[in-house]
Amino acid sequence: MRTPGTRPIVSDIGILSGEADQSLDTARQVSSESDGRQMVYLETYGCQMNVSDSEIVASVLRGSGFGLTRDPDSADVVLINTCAIRENAEQKVRRRLETFRSRKQKRAPDLKLGVLGCMAERLREKLLDEEKLVDLVVGPDAYRDLPNLLDASLESGQSAVNVQLSKEETYADISPVRYDSNGVSAFVSIMRGCDNMCSFCVVPFTRGRERSRPTASILDECAKLVDAGYREVTVLGQNVNSYRDGVNGQSVSFAELLHRISLLSPDLRIRYSTSHPKDCSDELLHVHRERDNVCNFIHLPVQHGNTAMLERMRRTYSREEYLALVERARRIVPGLALSTDIIAGFCGETEEEHRDTLSLMEAVRYDHAFNFIYSERPGTYASKKYEDDVPEEVKKRRLSEIIELQSAHSLESNQRDVGRVLRVLVEGPSRKSDEQLCGRTDSNKMVVFDDAGFVKGQYVDVRVERCTSATLLGTAVSSGANKLEASSPATTVGAPQ
Ligand code: 5AD
Ligand code: SF4
């Protein structure tokens, strides 16, 4: 067991700047200076929710006196926050664990190696007992227990494990340590787990049942972010728009929650991820329409364009219902930008069904899409009931057709913005040049423009002059008034959409 008071409480962990990379399967690293404490190196794979979880882990560790380091070579403990959504994500993490294990065997026998998050539950026996790859396995609902488990393992030299899933845990009272934030945009986790049981998806098994965090604690965290100078929050949940806080006799829907967050400050932009079409209510669409600082952008994963496939995927809507939703959303929220997730090569997919995905894309013309090849996940309904029978080359070819079509649509969408003046929230220097800044529009498009003395967190109006399918390039025409109310971010000069 942990002996309290054996190490000093870390006073604080500085917020590091850097461009936020929200892509999947990206490693993130924690940083801080060592001063004789047990030092932890934390690396994160997977979705935004995992990034947010690592901020909670950092807070729990800090509160128990651990230090955090950017340098794995100087760490006493290496923790990998893992993703299990697709096979290649798991393989990537495994390779990383093997690298650390071999480092431990050769150079650092006392190093503790731990697996956190989505791979923990399913692979605990394999990782701990069979392969003896790691010393510590901690599931996504057991992070409060991490200091005890670490202490136990550090003191006894034994392995330690807690993969218990919870029906209540939301980490509502834990203030995340935003160690890798750009100081402008932050993630705020508002619900955990998923009850949807899409047949291809392992998340309900790795993360457990849906539960929502109390509204008051969310509003409190957002208000603190505003006070700390943040200008954008992305509220997160596996099925974020099924949020409902009904604990204190009053029920707060997701739409109501967004509305309340939007009232905190006109300078705070609000996004969310990831939503399910079944929970995209008219009430929510009206919040997008009525509140200028709720972004006119929705990530609305469709997964497939064919109704029979959607049924096999257990998505609970048909192609026609999804298209009707898109039509309704665009009618209620003029200028709404949409992105999606699409899976190519799910069980039994015929060529004709695949073409339905392409035709749905043509009908919707998404601004952006995340596209994946289906990979079977153990324990899912699909793995038990369907055959993963689309050959790998066919899956790859279908994926490349989807990607090619989406690139054309993204380019078209960006070309429509050329000539317009868009309001951009400055995130920092661009990746390619210190003389240029980058930031996002309300519709989540990345804009790069020359630095004329603007600062991070400022709203700047930029005239778009050129574009690629991924980025808008332009020139600042004025400094934003730092008030979203001054001109709606969706309001553009130039040709109507
Ligand atoms: N294979 C491929 N893609 C998957 N996703 C979820 N499970 C799988 C799987 N088994 C995709 C879905 C989801 C996104 C986060 O990952 O498109 O929306
Ligand atoms: Fe997985 Fe479906 Fe839940 Fe999304 S909604 S996390 S795809 S089960």
Side-chain angles (χ1 to χ4, degrees), residues 244-380:
R244 188 159 286 276
D245 177 19
V247 184
N248 303 324
Q250 48 169 166
S251 177
V252 177
S253 66
F254 181 62
E256 173 64 22
L257 175 72
L258 285 196
H259 186 256
R260 291 194 196 176
I261 298 173
S262 77
L263 295 174
L264 291 173
S265 163
D267 290 341
L268 185 72
R269 240 168 30 175
I270 298 134
R271 305 186 185 284
Y272 56 88
S273 187
T274 284
S275 61
H276 193 293
K278 78 173 167 46
D279 296 309
C280 186
S281 64
D282 282 6
E283 185 197 7
L284 176 58
L285 294 170
H286 280 283
V287 171
H288 280 276
R289 180 194 176 101
E290 280 146 30
R291 299 299 305 161
D292 282 341
N293 55 343
V294 175
C295 287
N296 279 355
F297 165 74
I298 307 181
H299 182 62
L300 198 62
V302 67
Q303 312 295 356
H304 207 278
N306 173 275
T307 296
M309 288 295 285
L310 288 168
E311 246 170 61
R312 285 216 284 291
M313 288 177 157
R314 295 174 137 191
R315 287 294 289 179
T316 72
Y317 51 82
S318 65
R319 171 189 174 100
E320 289 69 31
E321 283 163 344
Y322 182 91
L323 287 173
L325 171 61
V326 167
E327 205 267 317
R328 198 165 70 246
R330 285 183 167 151
R331 185 162 29 82
I332 296 175
V333 193
L336 180 70
L338 288 174
S339 66
T340 196
D341 291 344
I342 292 175
I343 297 178
F346 183 60
C347 310
E349 186 189 60
T350 64
E351 210 50 40
E352 201 181 337
E353 288 167 336
H354 163 63
R355 280 198 298 274
D356 282 344
T357 290
L358 298 175
S359 74
L360 179 129
M361 292 172 70
E362 290 283 12
V364 177
R365 299 188 107 76
Y366 293 102
D367 298 275
H368 187 75
F370 299 90
N371 308 304
F372 310 102
I373 280 184
Y374 172 62
S375 73
E376 187 174 279
R377 303 283 60 214
T380 57

